[in-house]
Amino acid sequence: MKICVFCSANEQIAAEYFERTSELGAWAASEGHTIVFGGVNQGLMECVGKAAHDGGALTVGIVPRIIETSGRLSDYVDVDIPCDNLSDRKQLMMDQSDIFIALPGGIGTIDEVFTVVASATLGYHQKKVVLYNIGGFWQPLIGMLDSLASQGMIRGRWQDYILVADTLDDIKAIFVQSA
């Protein structure tokens, strides 16, 4: 499968996030999956790219030209797909991927998650987003989704579009169910 990974490009974050991200990249490589990611040479993006690349996986970077010109392109990108802006980037990521895993991240990661989910709710695709809830990182967002649902702001169940995984074993189980 082509796994798109949304995540932080920041360095000053919890070490556990890097450890779990590296495990994810190595596992994906061992299973023959391709990693699609933002292609930046910082933070969890660099971490997942390196782990997957070092494990023999194909890595696809969807990289805004502004990042390339600033010298922040990861050395672990095997296939570089340049784009003009973040809207293009998200569309290319959706086009290139079968499933999405959101690692800890900030505004950009949340934007990517909800762009994919909103597209799914409208029927553009049937692809799932997995929130990798490392150390409970996504609990506030899960609480917000529950609150929105209880107020009738979400048609159907948000869990039909967004899955939650607390461990790599949970992610493996999701992949077994998706096969």
Side-chain angles (χ1 to χ4, degrees), residues 143-165:
M144 183 187 78
L145 290 166
D146 286 339
S147 176
L148 290 170
S150 72
Q151 296 178 62
M153 296 296 170
I154 298 176
R155 284 186 293 280
R157 293 172 9 98
W158 63 263
Q159 297 90 339
D160 292 338
Y161 307 99
I162 302 172
L163 308 173
V164 179

Side-chain angles (χ1 to χ4, degrees), residues 88-166:
D88 291 346
R89 181 192 221 179
K90 290 181 289 187
Q91 185 61 55
L92 286 164
M93 287 176 149
M94 280 192 285
D95 294 343
Q96 290 289 321
S97 304
D98 301 311
I99 192 167
F100 305 85
I101 298 176
L103 300 172
I107 292 169
T109 301
I110 293 167
D111 175 47
E112 291 163 337
V113 165
F114 283 111
T115 295
V116 171
V117 172
S119 295
T121 65
L122 293 175
Y124 286 105
H125 62 78
Q126 291 77 45
K127 301 172 186 180
K128 303 288 189 215
V129 174
V130 179
L131 298 178
Y132 193 179
N133 196 28
I134 300 168
F137 180 84
W138 290 114
Q139 284 310 125
L141 183 64
I142 292 165
M144 183 187 78
L145 290 166
D146 286 339
S147 176
L148 290 170
S150 72
Q151 296 178 62
M153 296 296 170
I154 298 176
R155 284 186 293 280
R157 293 172 9 98
W158 63 263
Q159 297 90 339
D160 292 338
Y161 307 99
I162 302 172
L163 308 173
V164 179
D166 293 319

